[in-house]
Amino acid sequence: MADGDGVRSVHRALDLLERFDDEHPSWTLAALTTASGLPKTTVLRLVTTLEQRGLVAAIGPGKYAIGPGFLRWSRLSSATMEIPPAVRAAMGRLAQETGETANLYIRVGRTRVCLAQAQGTLSIRHTIAVGSSMPLWSGAASKVLLTDPPVLSVDPSVIEEIALEAPRPPGFAKRLRAAAADADTRGFAISHGERELGASGVAAPIRRPDGRVVAAIAIGGPTTRFSDDRLPAYINAVRRCAATINTTNWSGFSAT
């Protein structure tokens, strides 16, 4: 096998693994073949190899889920990706100030992952589990993460690839790119019901000194509370939190 073929196989295997998320915790071989667009024989070969290494596990005839091999890496990741106390403190102040739940997201491939959370103070909240993986084609935090300079400028565009996974009509890639560009210009992003009906969010970027976007800080809650009269205060609070986190020199974990 040529080196190029080997690298391509690695990318394909990783692409298959990325398709396992909260919305799709398990896949049949047939569904995985359809979703990936790869030949059935290729998917079978890759899944068999991943199963042998413990990265996927058979949970029924022709049905697979993430395997126990990831447990070791999960422990290592938890140990090395500890959020600094100053960052958690800033998130806590944001949650107290707005009453909404604050989340810290990083980009992992074509998804965003919730790295940390500070619960809001209001009784009706919109929360997700820390560690949850969500698509990058929706939500305020996604728009902010897509403002990372290499993502906006890469060709072929990561944004176009992300848009292909969205249940949206043709031309969505152009709208997604425009939304990311707008978030880059304004320094924040807003979303209403893009991923979940009745849920809204406001997000701002966390940047390294070299300009790379390493994370997004966001608040989320019921759309009824993200009204025109409240949004300016929410936006200011989120941007202040992002500025505070930037002063901690936290370098994040996603950008290189």
Side-chain angles (χ1 to χ4, degrees):
M1 179 183 291
D3 289 345
D5 293 336
V7 171
R8 183 172 58 191
S9 293
V10 171
H11 279 291
R12 285 176 168 177
L14 293 175
D15 284 342
L16 292 183
L17 288 174
E18 282 188 351
R19 295 189 179 275
F20 291 88
D21 54 28
D22 291 333
E23 296 181 4
H24 304 91
S26 63
W27 287 88
T28 63
L29 279 177
L32 199 55
T33 298
T34 301
S36 66
L38 296 173
K40 183 177 180 180
T41 54
T42 299
V43 172
L44 179 60
R45 173 174 55 83
L46 292 173
V47 168
T48 299
T49 301
L50 293 170
E51 184 180 16
Q52 291 171 349
R53 302 303 295 265
L55 300 181
V56 298
I59 59 174
K63 193 172 185 179
Y64 294 86
I66 289 296
F70 277 103
L71 292 175
R72 177 174 65 90
W73 290 341
S74 177
R75 290 194 299 271
L76 291 171
S77 177
S78 296
T80 57
M81 298 183 72
E82 183 63 31
I83 305 300
V87 174
R88 289 194 180 275
M91 293 178 64
R93 289 193 295 271
L94 175 61
Q96 286 287 328
E97 181 179 353
T98 62
E100 309 291 355
T101 298
N103 293 300
L104 185 69
Y105 295 96
I106 61 172
R107 182 172 70 90
V108 180
R110 294 191 295 271
T111 67
R112 58 180 165 109
V113 175
C114 181
L115 201 61
Q117 184 177 94
Q119 286 283 344
T121 59
L122 300 171
S123 58
I124 299 177
R125 309 170 190 168
H126 182 266
T127 61
I128 62 169
V130 173
S132 293
S133 175
M134 287 160 285
L136 273 172
W137 48 261
S138 65
S142 292
K143 296 172 188 176
V144 165
L145 291 172
L146 292 177
T147 65
D148 191 25
V151 176
L152 278 177
S153 63
V154 70
D155 186 25
S157 175
V158 174
I159 294 179
E160 269 70 31
E161 294 176 5
I162 292 168
L164 289 175
E165 301 176 356
R168 298 289 190 271
F172 178 65
K174 183 177 181 179
R175 294 196 298 274
L176 184 60
R177 177 173 287 281
D182 182 61
D184 187 42
T185 300
R186 297 201 294 174
F188 65 91
I190 302 170
S191 65
H192 295 296
E194 293 181 0
R195 188 179 66 86
E196 184 177 334
L197 188 64
S200 294
V202 175
I206 308 300
R207 295 182 182 273
R208 292 192 320 206
D210 63 1
R212 292 296 305 270
V213 176
V214 296
I217 182 67
I219 57 172
T223 297
T224 52
R225 292 205 295 260
F226 283 66
S227 55
D228 290 343
D229 59 328
R230 289 193 179 194
L231 270 175
Y234 280 3
I235 292 168
N236 288 335
V238 171
R239 298 189 73 182
R240 281 197 302 271
C241 181
T244 298
I245 294 175
N246 283 334
T247 64
T248 69
N249 294 319
W250 180 63
S251 60
F253 303 108
S254 58
T256 57

